[in-house]
Amino acid sequence: MTTTELGGRVRRGTRAGTIATNVVIAAGTLYALLPLLWLLLAATKNAEALFSSNLLDVANFDLAGNIEALLDEDDGLFLRWYANSILYAVIGAAVGALVSTAAGYVFDKYSFRGKKQLYALVLISVMIPGTVLALPMYLIASRLELANTMWAVFLTVLFNPFGVYLARIFATGYVPGEVLEAARVDGASELHIFFRIGLRMLGPGFVTVFLFQLTSIWNNFFLPLVMLSDEKLYPLSLGLYSWNSQATITPEYYPIVIVGSLLALIPLVVAFLMLQRYWRSGLTAGSVK
């Protein structure tokens, strides 16, 4: 075989690999974007046009009417669910990220009895699905008379084993032990060192854990379903599910459920756009090493 023939086969193989890679990427992109495109188009149609017209037909554009109907339904209950979701997700993610960051920092920077065993429990907890723990959590909340209150949802989302795992990795890469020792020599307390030095160095890690926690709580469904029976306490996921259940009997609910699902995406998109700079730097931390 000559060098020219071998080089031609290599080029053809490289070209075929490039084409196959592009096809797979294009298929994956379509798979991810088509449901979102359907949601955007369907949210602009009223109930009659949603089932009788072509989805790409813009003649029945009525997004404003659908939003108005959504906000008027059940005396503005959607806004109450929206506020509940923001309360559960934003405050829960902020407090949960702080707890996870502090726990990961402690696991990485301190030595204490039972550390390996406790961290092993954290790693085991990462692999336990949240749905398995929902019923035990409900029984505990019921015993403490917290069931069907906002505390039943808020308190149970504060502890995230995966966040502790991530925070420990960030603490290893971002917080040099020499800096902490220098602060101790200067007489700083351990709390002062964590909040004034460690937490600032762990900023990208805190934001990364916050975003994961925010997305998880915002999409949380089964835990609120078990904990809550008062619809005024529902988050968006559970509220839209209850309306969708009624849509099988009353199809007029379909447009408001669709436009409600579209509006439910806004906080996650805003959070991602605002914090992606920190998130990217956090995900690439230590990649060079």
Side-chain angles (χ1 to χ4, degrees):
M1 180 181 299
T2 64
T3 303
T4 303
E5 291 175 338
L6 181 59
R9 289 189 179 183
V10 170
R11 283 195 294 274
R12 283 195 295 273
T14 303
R15 194 181 304 116
T18 302
I19 293 173
T21 302
N22 290 335
V23 169
V24 171
I25 292 174
T29 303
L30 283 176
Y31 180 80
L33 292 182
L34 279 180
L36 181 59
L37 178 62
W38 185 93
L39 182 64
L40 286 171
L41 295 174
T44 65
K45 298 180 180 298
N46 56 34
E48 182 179 354
L50 182 63
F51 298 106
S52 60
S53 66
N54 189 326
L55 195 62
L56 298 177
D57 185 4
V58 296
N60 299 296
F61 189 89
D62 193 20
L63 178 61
N66 287 339
I67 294 177
E68 184 178 1
L70 171 71
L71 299 181
D72 291 340
E73 188 66 32
D74 291 341
D75 297 326
L77 193 56
F78 178 79
L79 292 178
R80 179 67 180 265
W81 293 341
Y82 216 98
N84 291 342
S85 285
I86 291 175
L87 177 66
Y88 295 141
V90 176
I91 298 180
V95 178
L98 180 61
V99 171
S100 297
T101 304
Y105 173 86
V106 168
F107 274 119
D108 186 66
K109 300 303 177 189
Y110 294 92
S111 298
F112 52 89
R113 183 178 298 177
K115 175 181 173 180
K116 290 184 179 178
Q117 292 79 1
L118 284 175
Y119 192 64
L121 285 176
V122 171
L123 296 181
I124 293 172
S125 301
V126 172
M127 292 179 277
I128 299 177
T131 51
V132 175
L133 302 176
L135 186 55
M137 285 182 179
Y138 170 76
L139 296 176
I140 295 173
S142 180
R143 181 65 65 89
L144 297 175
E145 298 183 352
L146 294 176
N148 196 33
T149 68
M150 299 187 82
W151 292 107
V153 176
F154 183 73
L155 292 177
T156 51
V157 299
L158 298 182
F159 304 100
N160 180 7
F162 184 65
V164 177
Y165 170 74
L166 276 181
R168 184 176 184 181
I169 294 175
F170 279 107
T172 303
Y174 276 79
V175 186
E178 295 81 2
V179 175
L180 304 184
E181 286 300 326
R184 291 187 184 108
V185 170
D186 291 340
S189 66
E190 295 300 329
L191 282 178
H192 180 88
I193 293 172
F194 172 69
F195 284 104
R196 299 298 299 273
I197 300 175
L199 192 56
R200 291 186 178 185
M201 291 182 172
L202 287 170
F206 177 86
V207 172
T208 302
V209 175
F210 173 81
L211 280 175
F212 277 118
Q213 191 92 334
L214 178 74
T215 305
S216 174
I217 300 173
W218 190 268
N219 295 322
N220 197 359
F221 171 75
F222 190 66
L223 184 66
L225 178 66
V226 173
M227 292 289 188
L228 302 176
S229 57
D230 184 354
E231 66 176 10
K232 291 183 178 178
L233 302 177
Y234 285 1
L236 276 175
S237 57
L238 188 55
L240 291 175
Y241 168 77
S242 67
W243 277 352
N244 187 60
S245 301
Q246 299 178 50
T248 56
I249 303 173
T250 311
E252 285 75 14
Y253 274 100
Y254 278 122
I256 62 174
V257 170
I258 291 172
V259 76
S261 300
L262 180 63
L263 295 183
L265 293 175
I266 294 176
L268 295 181
V269 174
V270 171
F272 180 80
L273 293 177
M274 290 178 62
L275 302 175
Q276 62 173 329
R277 179 164 60 90
Y278 302 97
W279 190 40
R280 285 179 177 175
S281 64
L283 287 178
T284 57
S287 58
V288 176
K289 298 179 182 178

